Amino acid sequence: DTEVTQTPKHLVMGMTNKKSLKCEQHMGHRAMYWYKQKAKKPPELMFVYSYEKLSINESVPSRFSPECPNSSLLNLHLHALQPEDSALYLCASSQDMDSYQPQHFGDGTRLSIL
Amino acid sequence: QKEVEQNSGPLSVPEGAIASLNCTYSDRVSQSFFWYRQYSGKSPELIMSIYSNGDKEDGRFTAQLNKASQYVSLLIRDSQPSDSATYLCALVTGGGNKLTFGTGTQLKVEL
C-alpha cells in the first residue's frame, strides 16, 4: 500500500474521449509529479507542481493537461490521445522540491488508448 | 553518453547470496541519489537514498556512493526470491527535484 493514491487503476479510452486521472496524498507534501512509463523503460517526467503552481512542463503535448486544485490533489486531464500514449501513468509526491527530498510513487494508472 | 547508466541484466544470484547492482552517472554536480525497486506491473518503491560519499545501511540493503568515481551501488545481502525485481537508479542534478532514472537492472534470485 502506498500513501499516494491514484484512480482509476485501469482506464481504456478511445481517441476522441475525454477522461481524467486523479492523484491524492495526505502526507502534507507540497510537490507533486506526473510521470509516464512505457514497458521496460524508466519513468519519464511530465509535470511538476510546487505549492500548487506548475513548476516544470517537460514539453508535454497539450492533449495532456495537468491541474492542481489544492495541496493534496493532482489531476491529469486527457483529451484526443493517441495509441502511443498507452502507458503506465505515475503520480509522485515529495515534501517539497528540495533535491534531498525523496519522491514517493502511487500505484499508477494503466492507460490503454484504442 | 547516457546521464545514468545501469546494466540491464538480468543479474541472476542464488538465494542467500549478495546481489551487487551498479550505476554510473555523467554529471559531477549530481547531489542526491536514490534506489527504487519495481516489481513487474507495479510502481517504483523507494529503497534507499544516499547523499554523501560512503556507505549507508538499512537492513539487508547497503547503498554506496563514490562521487569522485561517479558511481553508486546497491548491495542486497541474503538475497531472497522476493527481491526479484527491476532496480532503478535515480539521481537529482541541478536545482529543483527533477529525477533522472537509469534504465534499470533486472535482478533474479534463484532458489
Side-chain angles (χ1 to χ4, degrees):
Chain A
D1 290 342
T2 64
E3 296 182 80
V4 178
T5 304
Q6 290 187 244
T7 56
K9 293 190 184 303
H10 302 275
L11 179 61
V12 179
M13 56 186 288
M15 290 189 285
T16 58
N17 293 156
K18 287 184 180 181
K19 297 286 185 182
S20 297
L21 308 185
K22 296 185 184 301
C23 175
E24 187 170 6
Q25 57 86 15
H26 293 289
M27 296 180 283
H29 288 177
R30 304 312 300 268
M32 297 185 75
Y33 310 77
W34 279 116
Y35 288 85
K36 173 183 177 180
Q37 188 176 25
K38 302 283 277 185
K40 299 192 184 300
K41 298 289 187 182
E44 297 177 1
L45 182 66
M46 300 175 72
F47 302 103
V48 182
Y49 274 82
S50 177
Y51 289 86
E52 300 158 50
K53 294 189 186 305
L54 183 63
S55 179
I56 297 176
N57 177 341
E58 291 288 285
S59 302
V60 178
S62 59
R63 57 186 184 269
F64 295 92
S65 177
E67 178 195 21
C68 189
N70 60 56
S71 60
S72 301
L73 292 173
L74 186 66
N75 298 323
L76 185 63
H77 303 298
L78 314 174
H79 174 55
L81 295 193
Q82 303 298 307
E84 62 264 28
D85 297 323
S86 297
L88 179 67
Y89 287 83
L90 295 162
C91 175
S93 70
S94 63
Q95 189 68 40
D96 53 38
M97 281 193 70
D98 185 284
S99 61
Y100 296 97
Q101 297 295 339
Q103 295 178 29
H104 300 271
F105 286 84
D107 289 338
T109 293
R110 191 162 299 280
L111 177 65
S112 298
I113 307 299
L114 300 178
Chain B
Q1 183 185 4
K2 293 181 182 177
E3 292 184 71
V4 184
E5 295 210 43
Q6 294 182 257
N7 188 320
S8 61
L11 172 66
S12 293
V13 300
E15 184 178 7
I18 296 175
S20 178
L21 306 165
N22 300 310
C23 172
T24 58
Y25 59 95
S26 58
D27 194 334
R28 288 188 172 274
V29 300
S30 301
Q31 61 261 55
S32 302
F33 305 84
F34 305 94
W35 283 98
Y36 286 86
R37 176 176 66 196
Q38 187 170 27
Y39 294 112
S40 181
K42 302 295 185 181
S43 65
E45 174 190 7
L46 181 69
I47 299 275
M48 294 284 286
S49 58
I50 187 166
Y51 309 106
S52 55
N53 284 326
D55 295 0
K56 179 181 178 182
E57 185 175 321
D58 184 1
R60 295 187 296 114
F61 300 98
T62 298
Q64 300 174 318
L65 175 60
N66 184 322
K67 291 187 177 182
S69 300
Q70 295 175 239
Y71 81 79
V72 56
S73 62
L74 179 70
L75 301 178
I76 306 175
R77 290 180 300 280
D78 189 23
S79 295
Q80 301 297 310
S82 59
D83 295 326
S84 298
T86 294
Y87 289 80
L88 295 163
C89 172
L91 54 90
V92 175
T93 299
N97 202 8
K98 182 177 171 180
L99 278 178
T100 299
F101 285 90
T103 53
T105 297
Q106 184 184 5
L107 174 66
K108 293 185 176 180
V109 180
E110 299 168 332
L111 295 171

